[in-house]
Amino acid sequence: MNDIFHVFHNQNFIDLCMYQFGYAQNDPLSSFGPHVRSHYLFHYVISGAGKLQATDSNGVDHTYHIRSGQGFLIVPEQITTYTSTEDHPWEYTWIEFDGLHAKEAMLVAGLSADNPVYRSDDKLLSSKLKDSMLYICHHQDETPFHLMSYLYMFLDCLMRSSASKTTPKTEGMSSYYLEWAMTYIDQHFHTDISVADIANSCQIHRNYLGKIFRESLGVSPQEFLINFRMKKAVQLLTATKLSIKDIGNAVGYPNQLHFSRAFKNVYGMSPRDYRSKHYLGPPN
């Protein structure tokens, strides 16, 4: 089998997205790194063996010896080098991926910078994991949605077969959903979004979303959204000459009266008065 490397050009997927994938039969002592990735990268070792040198979450170096039927995860911003053995150089396939669900999937699989080695307690699922990765490698001309379906299959097998799989802790998932909600707000605050829309984007009940915000930030999602919009409005009031109406529209308030009322509730004065006291002019 010839080596394969392919870049997945369609990166419009948000929940999960592939960046590149491939297959390689390494030469003895062939090495890659040290290198730092921007996304998650998973290798599955089909045959042979090698070693992974990687930093943990505290920046401490570790060496892991990995053989056929196992795999290893590289997380974003982690420094890694991996090398095949001299006597039994490894053959592996890999996928680089990321997205809103990537962190959750790795949490469930029990894989991290502190525990990067994949070992399976289910041979059938481990085989399906390998097959789904190889399918992607050998069908790179299929449609993006078709290939993405195999990425989901790969992650499902990874989470279900990992010997390190865990049940996510409440606080871990709370942090995950909070980050997801804040990202959604940052991307949609200028539109007419509601707390229900934010909760739906996270695929959780709005009451649970409210609990997460109050416990983590001490405010409700609605209060956070309003404060976020008002901070954006302050930036525009102090650094641009946009009209009050245009600024209101830019932060999600098409009704100027509603915008002025919300702004005064937060800052104790109207947007016009705030600008007159704090205007800095456009940045140089």
Side-chain angles (χ1 to χ4, degrees):
M1 188 186 300
N2 295 325
D3 288 359
I4 299 169
F5 174 80
H6 188 75
V7 175
F8 187 71
H9 293 291
N10 192 318
Q11 297 181 8
N12 296 322
F13 299 93
I14 297 175
D15 290 345
L16 284 170
C17 183
M18 279 189 290
Y19 291 88
Q20 51 103 346
F21 51 85
Y23 162 90
Q25 172 66 68
N26 283 205
D27 294 327
L29 298 178
S30 63
S31 183
F32 186 85
H35 195 76
V36 176
R37 295 284 178 178
S38 299
H39 311 288
Y40 293 97
L41 179 64
F42 181 82
H43 288 71
Y44 180 87
V45 181
I46 300 169
S47 64
K51 67 178 180 180
L52 168 70
Q53 295 169 283
T55 54
D56 64 17
S57 58
N58 295 314
V60 179
D61 290 322
H62 297 271
T63 298
Y64 305 91
H65 296 277
I66 303 162
R67 56 179 173 76
S68 61
Q70 298 178 343
F72 58 94
L73 176 72
I74 295 171
V75 305
E77 308 307 320
Q78 182 184 28
I79 302 172
T80 61
T81 300
Y82 41 100
T83 308
S84 65
T85 61
E86 183 174 10
D87 296 335
H88 303 286
W90 51 15
E91 169 194 15
Y92 55 56
T93 180
W94 73 85
I95 296 180
E96 184 174 8
F97 62 96
D98 215 325
L100 292 174
H101 283 310
K103 183 177 180 180
E104 176 189 10
M106 296 305 97
L107 182 68
V108 174
L111 299 176
S112 65
D114 298 325
N115 185 40
V117 180
Y118 164 79
R119 300 177 178 86
S120 177
D121 56 7
D122 188 315
K123 291 184 178 180
L124 179 59
L125 283 174
S126 181
S127 178
K128 287 183 178 180
L129 178 148
K130 176 192 69 176
D131 291 345
S132 63
M133 296 176 73
L134 289 175
Y135 182 92
I136 292 171
C137 288
H138 293 293
H139 296 80
Q140 55 191 250
D141 294 327
E142 294 286 352
T143 66
F145 282 98
H146 184 78
L147 293 178
M148 286 298 297
S149 70
Y150 278 85
L151 175 65
Y152 276 88
M153 187 181 303
F154 150 71
L155 285 172
D156 177 63
C157 292
L158 180 68
M159 290 186 289
R160 292 165 60 199
S161 67
S162 174
S164 301
K165 61 180 177 288
T166 64
T167 300
K169 297 180 180 179
T170 302
E171 57 269 25
M173 292 308 295
S174 295
S175 175
Y176 167 72
Y177 287 129
L178 180 65
E179 181 180 347
W180 189 346
M182 293 172 72
T183 299
Y184 182 83
I185 290 171
D186 184 46
Q187 294 175 346
H188 299 87
F189 72 92
H190 58 285
T191 66
D192 185 25
I193 60 172
S194 65
V195 174
D197 294 327
I198 301 169
N200 287 339
S201 77
C202 299
Q203 300 177 12
I204 59 176
H205 195 278
R206 60 179 297 167
N207 290 344
Y208 180 47
L209 181 70
K211 180 175 181 290
I212 292 172
F213 268 78
R214 285 189 294 273
E215 291 181 351
S216 301
L217 304 176
V219 296
S220 69
Q222 183 66 26
E223 289 171 325
F224 180 89
L225 175 60
I226 292 172
N227 289 331
F228 188 93
R229 284 170 163 165
M230 294 307 108
K231 288 177 182 177
K232 294 292 185 181
V234 163
Q235 293 174 3
L236 295 173
L237 285 167
T238 58
T240 76
K241 293 185 178 180
L242 290 172
S243 68
I244 303 300
K245 181 179 180 180
D246 287 343
I247 291 175
N249 275 324
V251 298
Y253 288 88
N255 185 303
Q256 184 176 336
L257 179 61
H258 292 169
F259 168 60
S260 296
R261 185 180 300 145
F263 190 92
K264 189 171 184 179
N265 286 338
V266 174
Y267 291 101
M269 64 182 75
S270 69
R272 196 173 306 278
D273 289 341
Y274 191 96
R275 169 176 270 174
S276 67
K277 291 185 177 183
H278 301 283
Y279 183 69
L280 302 173
N284 296 327

